[in-house]
Amino acid sequence: MRIQKEKTILAIETSCDETAIAIVKCSHAAHTISVRVLSSLVASQAKLHAKFGGVVPNLARREHQKNLIPLLRQALNAAGVKKSKTKNQNAKSKLKIQKLNEILARETNLLEKFKRYIVPLEIPPIDALAVTSGPGLSPALWVGVNFSRALSSLWDVPLIPVNHMEGHLFSALLQIPIQRSKSATSISAQISNSEFKIQNIKTPALALLVSGGHTELVLMEKFGKYKIIGETLDDAAGEAFDKVARILGLGYPGGPAIAKEAQSVKRRAQNNNAKLKIKLPRPMINSGDYNFSFSGLKTATLYLVRDLENAGHSIEKLRPVIAREFQDAAIEILVKKTVRAMKEYKAKTLLLGGGVAANTRLRKKMQEAVRENLSHVLCLISHVALAGDNALMVALAACLTGKAKPWQKVAADPNARLSD
Ligand code: KG4
Ligand code: ZN
């Protein structure tokens, strides 16, 4: 782990439909890394995209442009940074403003507000900026990248590009002792202003990363060295949850909607429906490799719904059972392949992260499978509040393995991969 004694990082995440900013102080003492979260804010656009049944890239871009400045001001405020009382010569120099005009030339919605609200601020006491550079949606990524380049140029602070999937992977290392029963807002309030330890892990470690854009099994032979040993050949797991939710007439994002619907299955209804043979395939579950295919499972669900409707059944009544069967199928595939890979690679630690890792049943099934088959393995699962996109995970990755670059060399890379 490349971390000096103490480092304060301001991280920005805009790879998909969450605008997020975090300010984090990482410190290293006696082989223990602690993370003090000064602030961690997420502005979700989910409701806006729900109308379209999925994320619309240019709409996401526009919303990031709208959200970044208020979010940054709020984060700096929480961390105690104020407006400069003395005239900030540095920030006001003609050259600096000219550079801002260039860097934010394609973010015109941001530029004027940036000059008005950010330029007059004191330079915050941070050692580095971090930004998700990829993978993600190109228009969305570029807003965060250009915004962080502008801040790096204005404040003369180094910029660390972060791989989004590495963020998801490291989010599992932050063990947060907060009960699930608390509300989401109270959890995020507790995460801000708190200090957490980073779990020490043994390598080789294996990470199952399951999000809306990716599904991959990543081998970490040594800390910070990655190899993707398997990935989806078509849809990501989260994408399949979203698409099946649409088939079933549930809202977006589909993951939480399917999970809720599946939970509502009544035992009696399940027995009655056993006669109907509501059974879906588990594509590629026994393939010799570690790849996945979720598109077939989605299509099978579509055909199942169509056949049931044609036979005169009410989908409304059967929806919970279908959602449950789809969820069980997806989880069975994920868990079985992960356990097999853990055995083959003799992994000592299992990390589970990404939006789908918020799924209660997946968390339970993975923990059970580890207990039954891999009793020597440490299984770390991202806290529900950190499974989805956030900037705290970006700050973590920057602290643990990040390398700063001159801002001119930081660019969005929508297809960035963890290995190679
Ligand atoms: O990691 P994430 O927030 O964004 C990406 O990087 O893609 O993941 C979002 C995905 C969505 O597809 C959403 O439906 C899924 O995570 N998701 C879930 C649950 N909560 C979110 N999937 C299954 N069960 C959940 N409880
Ligand atoms: Zn993500």
Side-chain angles (χ1 to χ4, degrees):
M1 296 187 201
R2 137 207 357 263
I3 180 167
Q4 282 114 37
K5 275 203 174 126
E6 195 171 272
K7 209 151 87 173
T8 303
I9 297 200
L10 190 159
I12 295 162
E13 154 68 42
T14 66
S15 67
C16 191
D17 61 345
E18 327 274 0
T19 319
I21 295 192
I23 305 180
V24 165
K25 191 174 275 200
C26 300
S27 47
H28 198 182
H31 303 292
T32 304
I33 294 180
S34 311
V35 173
R36 182 159 196 85
V37 185
L38 303 180
S39 61
S40 178
L41 307 169
V42 181
S44 176
Q45 309 170 6
K47 273 194 190 144
L48 203 73
H49 296 284
K51 285 181 228 153
F52 303 94
V55 182
V56 183
N58 275 320
L59 190 58
R61 170 177 189 242
R62 199 192 70 193
E63 288 302 299
H64 290 313
Q65 289 177 334
K66 226 193 266 176
N67 293 339
L68 275 170
I69 287 178
L71 220 54
L72 177 63
R73 291 176 78 203
Q74 203 184 326
L76 290 173
N77 221 4
V81 175
K82 304 201 174 56
K83 198 170 164 174
S84 181
K85 286 191 194 80
T86 54
K87 278 201 171 173
N88 187 339
Q89 288 309 327
N90 194 23
K92 285 204 157 79
S93 81
K94 261 197 186 152
L95 201 66
K96 288 252 149 137
I97 300 294
Q98 200 183 318
K99 270 273 162 278
L100 289 181
N101 290 338
E102 278 169 33
I103 299 169
L104 296 176
R106 299 192 58 208
E107 318 293 342
T108 41
N109 297 348
L110 258 175
L111 181 61
E112 286 317 309
K113 285 196 192 126
F114 193 97
K115 287 184 193 166
R116 183 154 159 213
Y117 295 112
I118 306 301
V119 170
L121 293 178
E122 279 176 10
I123 297 178
I126 57 171
D127 300 291
L129 287 151
V131 67
T132 299
S133 53
L137 303 170
S138 181
L141 284 168
W142 270 112
V143 185
V145 166
N146 282 332
F147 187 65
S148 62
R149 279 156 48 112
L151 291 173
S152 174
S153 158
L154 178 70
W155 293 337
D156 283 323
V157 174
L159 180 57
I160 303 172
V162 168
N163 181 301
H164 182 79
M165 302 315 288
E166 192 179 28
H168 277 309
L169 186 149
F170 282 144
S171 71
L173 298 187
L174 199 66
Q175 294 303 290
I176 304 179
I178 296 175
Q179 297 302 314
R180 280 212 58 182
S181 53
K182 297 237 163 72
S183 75
T185 36
S186 92
I187 290 175
S188 56
Q190 286 183 54
I191 288 176
S192 288
N193 297 314
S194 307
E195 185 152 352
F196 305 104
K197 298 268 175 283
I198 293 276
Q199 182 88 34
N200 264 325
I201 57 162
K202 286 188 188 154
T203 52
L206 189 81
L208 173 66
L209 304 179
V210 272
S211 70
H214 295 82
T215 294
E216 51 198 37
L217 271 167
V218 181
L219 179 69
M220 183 161 80
E221 280 282 9
K222 286 193 187 135
F223 199 87
K225 291 267 168 273
Y226 310 107
K227 188 175 168 204
I228 299 176
I229 60 162
E231 61 195 309
T232 183
L233 303 176
D234 39 58
D235 291 353
E239 192 178 355
F241 270 86
D242 293 336
K243 287 178 176 169
V244 167
R246 212 180 315 167
I247 293 168
L248 294 177
L250 299 167
Y252 173 86
I258 294 224
K260 193 169 162 210
E261 196 71 18
Q263 230 177 2
S264 74
V265 172
K266 309 248 180 343
R267 193 173 290 277
R268 193 147 36 95
Q270 209 171 6
N271 289 341
N272 287 344
N273 294 323
K275 290 177 233 137
L276 286 177
K277 285 211 185 82
I278 294 186
K279 187 80 187 150
L280 290 165
R282 272 72 174 147
M284 288 183 78
I285 196 163
N286 291 319
S287 69
D289 56 18
Y290 297 110
N291 291 329
F292 303 93
S293 166
F294 289 104
S295 158
L297 179 56
K298 170 204 66 191
T299 312
T301 314
L302 181 71
Y303 290 158
L304 174 70
V305 168
R306 191 196 56 188
D307 293 347
L308 287 168
E309 267 173 337
N310 286 346
H313 295 286
S314 150
I315 291 306
E316 209 160 308
K317 278 197 191 143
L318 294 175
R319 203 188 276 145
V321 190
I322 302 170
R324 168 82 170 252
E325 172 61 11
F326 164 77
Q327 182 176 259
D328 282 352
I331 291 175
E332 220 177 291
I333 301 164
L334 291 168
V335 171
K336 189 163 181 189
K337 290 218 151 173
T338 304
V339 169
R340 203 153 50 73
M342 290 289 295
K343 286 183 180 165
E344 183 178 332
Y345 288 93
K346 299 187 175 42
K348 295 179 177 137
T349 311
L350 170 61
L351 304 169
L352 176 59
V356 183
N359 186 288
T360 311
R361 197 155 169 89
L362 171 61
R363 301 168 79 88
K364 185 168 164 249
K365 287 285 170 191
M366 193 64 91
Q367 274 160 335
E368 279 174 11
V370 169
R371 222 175 297 131
E372 281 164 23
N373 304 285
L374 309 155
S375 52
H376 59 289
V377 161
L378 173 67
C379 174
L380 297 174
I381 304 180
S382 295
H383 191 281
V384 176
L386 290 183
D389 291 349
N390 63 83
L392 177 48
M393 70 183 199
V394 179
L396 265 181
C399 282
L400 297 175
T401 56
K403 277 190 207 136
K405 279 190 180 177
W407 63 261
Q408 295 88 338
K409 296 226 163 119
V410 176
D413 182 1
N415 302 314
R417 284 171 68 78
L418 257 187
S419 42
D420 307 326

